[in-house]
Amino acid sequence: MSASTNHAPLYNVSATSIPSLLHDKYSSWLYTFFLVLLSLLALEQAVYRYKKRHLPGDTWTIPVIGRFADSMHPTLEGYKKQWDSGALSAISVFNIFIVMASTNEYARKILNSPSYAEPCLVHSAKQVLRPDNWVFLTGKSHIDYRKGLNLLFTRKALGIYIAIQDTIARKHFRMWLDEAAKDPVTPKPIMMTARAMNMDTSLRVFCGPHISETAARDINEKYWFITQSLELVNFPLALPGTKIYKAIQARKVAMHWLELAAHKSKIAMANGSEPECMLDEWVQLLSDPSYKGKREFSDLEMAMVLFSFLFASQDAMSSGLIYGFQHLADHPDVLAKVREEQERVRQGDYEKPMTLEMLEQMPYLQAVVKESMRVKPPVTMVPYRATKAFPITNSYTVPANSMVIPSFYNSLHDPAVYPEPDAFKPERWLDPEGLATQNPKNYLVFGSGPHRCIGLEYASMNIAMVLATASVMFDWEHDITSQSNQVEIIATLFPKDGCRLKLTPRVRN
């Protein structure tokens, strides 16, 4: 072959064909992308339907987000509709498969099955509380840790706490009356003022003189961010500006002050001071030769425990207290009986601080508190996570790593146990042979099982003491609005209008 022979190019690509090739390549990638996307969406639906099986619930889940829109603005009516759909029902939110349990039987089974399920609170809880907080312990380590903390709620300890609670309540009630006197005609919502009182009470009970007014105010002002982060489903990443990010920053502030308080308490007890708060009781307890639990707690560990108590009590006690005021205002006959009991026990000495012995002589008041929290339970449910496949019935097994949520509300409104379940009737607790007292398993206000609320006596005592003191210090009139009986769910239940009350000093004959 001669050297002049022309060779044809291997690829003959003209300038005009390049856009066509690029278009074909783009179309191919686009086709592949949509094919993969549709396959993933189909897989999502198949997995959801496989996990759901025969349970009531949406036949198909909204792609990716599921019921996220509903979880952003939860309503009690929406929860009731879900609970009414079946003893067990299913939903999905952001591919989190959730089984809702509505009956007392299944609620108690979840709460009392630590080998299958553990409390996971809400998705943001570990980020807010810190993953190394004791509340996330399980099994024997949780039991052992809890045994030591139980000693912070003995009768001796509660006797110290109630004196502090009484002092703080009276201080805040005087502030409430002073504020009401500026405009005695206009009712004002008590939601935030009651929350502030509860925060002040908790911090003084926990830390006593070891926390400054500045620190208490700082924690109180920022704690609302923590409350707002406790939605059942929240944006999962703690990016600046999100609710979880703000809650974490608020926790850091609280932890700083609580660590400092723990350090000061240790110094005070080492110097021979008498216990004045929970921290002091704890430090003194650890030095007791007969104490058999863990003896060494760093300032950080103590601060995390106190923060978990604050986390557990603030919103729940505020809800219980606010509805206590609302129920008494809406039932003047019940309030009159509370005052009659106060007169009998206090014998006209209304300045005398409340004691445990006095409180024990007030069965009607205790019935009022118990009934108020039954009608409007602060916590309607607590999310759990199935740590492994959980055979909750003979025909259904909750898949491992699913969320399983027991409802407390239905147990507390079971007409077979509480006739006229929505009616506020404290008397139902005074009959030892009555349905309410004969069915204690239905009273799930504080949960059940190994993770039952550790401070239930403390919380009930505080609400009772506050309502008792309020009943003798002032009168309150409820300004009933269109939203008074509507429920707003902000971690716990609150009246949607914030419970608008008109306060006046009580004039006794």
Side-chain angles (χ1 to χ4, degrees), residues 348-359:
D349 186 0
Y350 298 109
E351 298 303 316
K352 182 180 179 181
M354 182 74 77
T355 64
L356 285 179
E357 292 72 23
M358 291 168 63
L359 202 57

Side-chain angles (χ1 to χ4, degrees), residues 47-58 67 79 82-83 85-93 95-103 106-111 116-118 120-121 232-233 380-393 395-408:
V47 170
Y48 167 73
R49 288 172 64 85
Y50 174 77
K51 290 181 176 179
K52 174 181 173 294
R53 298 179 184 260
H54 62 274
L55 294 187
D58 296 330
R67 288 281 197 92
Y79 284 141
Q82 184 73 33
W83 295 328
S85 68
L88 297 173
S89 60
I91 61 172
S92 177
V93 180
N95 279 320
I96 301 171
F97 184 72
I98 302 171
V99 175
M100 307 282 279
S102 63
T103 66
Y106 292 138
R108 291 185 63 85
K109 189 167 186 177
I110 295 165
L111 296 169
Y116 286 105
E118 63 182 18
C120 61
L121 302 178
L232 182 59
V233 178
T380 58
M381 55 190 177
V382 174
Y384 274 61
R385 183 181 71 88
T387 54
K388 57 185 177 182
F390 183 2
I392 195 167
T393 73
S395 61
Y396 185 76
T397 297
V398 178
N401 295 314
S402 300
M403 193 177 282
V404 54
I405 306 180
S407 162
F408 298 167

Side-chain angles (χ1 to χ4, degrees), residues 118-140:
E118 63 182 18
C120 61
L121 302 178
V122 294
H123 181 75
S124 61
K126 284 193 175 183
Q127 293 171 281
V128 175
L129 286 175
R130 292 176 50 123
D132 53 345
N133 200 299
W134 79 279
V135 298
F136 300 115
L137 294 174
T138 57
K140 187 176 185 303

Side-chain angles (χ1 to χ4, degrees), residues 111 146 316-317 369-370 373 377-379 382 408 412 443-449 451-461 463:
L111 296 169
R146 185 183 173 107
M317 280 207 311
V369 173
K370 198 164 188 177
M373 289 196 289
V379 179
V382 174
F408 298 167
L412 295 163
Y443 197 75
L444 292 180
V445 168
F446 297 102
S448 178
H451 291 273
R452 190 182 187 210
C453 177
I454 193 171
L456 62 94
E457 290 181 335
Y458 166 80
S460 298
M461 177 180 77
I463 294 172

Side-chain angles (χ1 to χ4, degrees), residues 309-414:
F309 288 169
L310 199 64
F311 180 86
S313 67
Q314 174 62 7
D315 292 302
M317 280 207 311
S318 295
S319 171
L321 184 58
I322 290 165
Y323 272 114
F325 273 106
Q326 181 160 310
H327 285 139
L328 287 176
D330 292 345
H331 298 84
D333 56 324
V334 174
L335 179 55
K337 292 178 182 178
V338 168
R339 284 173 168 154
E340 289 171 6
E341 188 175 66
Q342 294 302 301
E343 173 63 30
R344 176 179 59 79
V345 175
R346 295 177 186 254
Q347 297 183 342
D349 186 0
Y350 298 109
E351 298 303 316
K352 182 180 179 181
M354 182 74 77
T355 64
L356 285 179
E357 292 72 23
M358 291 168 63
L359 202 57
E360 288 167 350
Q361 298 176 55
M362 301 173 182
Y364 191 76
L365 173 67
Q366 294 176 40
V368 165
V369 173
K370 198 164 188 177
E371 178 70 351
S372 182
M373 289 196 289
R374 183 198 66 79
V375 175
K376 285 292 189 294
V379 179
T380 58
M381 55 190 177
V382 174
Y384 274 61
R385 183 181 71 88
T387 54
K388 57 185 177 182
F390 183 2
I392 195 167
T393 73
N394 292 331
S395 61
Y396 185 76
T397 297
V398 178
N401 295 314
S402 300
M403 193 177 282
V404 54
I405 306 180
S407 162
F408 298 167
Y409 191 91
N410 282 13
S411 292
L412 295 163
H413 288 77
D414 184 348

Side-chain angles (χ1 to χ4, degrees), residues 177-456:
L177 289 170
D178 288 344
E179 187 64 28
K182 296 175 184 177
D183 182 5
V185 177
T186 306
K188 297 179 179 62
I190 67 164
M191 179 171 168
M192 299 311 292
T193 52
R195 288 179 60 86
M197 177 175 65
N198 270 341
M199 177 64 75
D200 195 12
T201 299
S202 294
L203 291 176
R204 292 302 160 196
V205 167
F206 299 163
C207 305
H210 309 307
I211 194 162
S212 66
E213 289 290 342
T214 299
R217 186 166 54 251
D218 200 13
I219 295 173
N220 186 40
E221 288 173 355
K222 293 179 172 61
Y223 193 86
W224 184 243
F225 292 128
I226 294 172
T227 297
Q228 291 180 310
S229 74
L230 299 182
E231 295 164 338
L232 182 59
V233 178
N234 222 318
F235 184 75
L237 302 179
L239 300 178
T242 62
K243 292 178 181 179
I244 296 179
Y245 176 86
K246 292 177 182 178
I248 291 172
Q249 304 314 305
R251 180 254 292 162
K252 290 177 179 177
V253 169
M255 287 291 292
H256 165 74
W257 292 117
L258 294 174
E259 281 188 73
L260 184 60
H263 183 70
K264 290 180 177 179
S265 175
K266 289 176 180 177
I267 294 174
M269 292 301 97
N271 290 333
S273 299
E274 288 295 316
E276 297 183 67
C277 61
M278 181 181 288
L279 270 174
D280 292 347
E281 272 288 298
W282 194 0
V283 173
Q284 194 172 78
L285 178 69
L286 297 176
S287 64
D288 188 332
S290 64
Y291 178 67
K292 297 180 180 179
K294 177 182 174 183
R295 288 186 176 276
E296 295 296 328
F297 284 85
S298 67
D299 296 344
L300 174 60
E301 286 179 297
M302 286 188 155
M304 279 198 290
V305 168
L306 295 187
F307 187 73
S308 71
F309 288 169
L310 199 64
F311 180 86
S313 67
Q314 174 62 7
D315 292 302
M317 280 207 311
S318 295
S319 171
L321 184 58
I322 290 165
Y323 272 114
F325 273 106
Q326 181 160 310
H327 285 139
L328 287 176
D330 292 345
H331 298 84
D333 56 324
V334 174
L335 179 55
K337 292 178 182 178
V338 168
R339 284 173 168 154
E340 289 171 6
E341 188 175 66
Q342 294 302 301
E343 173 63 30
R344 176 179 59 79
V345 175
R346 295 177 186 254
Q347 297 183 342
D349 186 0
Y350 298 109
E351 298 303 316
K352 182 180 179 181
M354 182 74 77
T355 64
L356 285 179
E357 292 72 23
M358 291 168 63
L359 202 57
E360 288 167 350
Q361 298 176 55
M362 301 173 182
Y364 191 76
L365 173 67
Q366 294 176 40
V368 165
V369 173
K370 198 164 188 177
E371 178 70 351
S372 182
M373 289 196 289
R374 183 198 66 79
V375 175
K376 285 292 189 294
V379 179
T380 58
M381 55 190 177
V382 174
Y384 274 61
R385 183 181 71 88
T387 54
K388 57 185 177 182
F390 183 2
I392 195 167
T393 73
N394 292 331
S395 61
Y396 185 76
T397 297
V398 178
N401 295 314
S402 300
M403 193 177 282
V404 54
I405 306 180
S407 162
F408 298 167
Y409 191 91
N410 282 13
S411 292
L412 295 163
H413 288 77
D414 184 348
V417 177
Y418 309 109
E420 297 182 79
D422 293 326
F424 178 67
K425 294 184 174 183
E427 285 75 13
R428 74 171 86 235
W429 297 104
L430 300 177
D431 180 3
E433 302 301 320
L435 286 170
T437 52
Q438 289 296 309
N439 291 276
K441 289 184 177 181
N442 273 71
Y443 197 75
L444 292 180
V445 168
F446 297 102
S448 178
H451 291 273
R452 190 182 187 210
C453 177
I454 193 171
L456 62 94

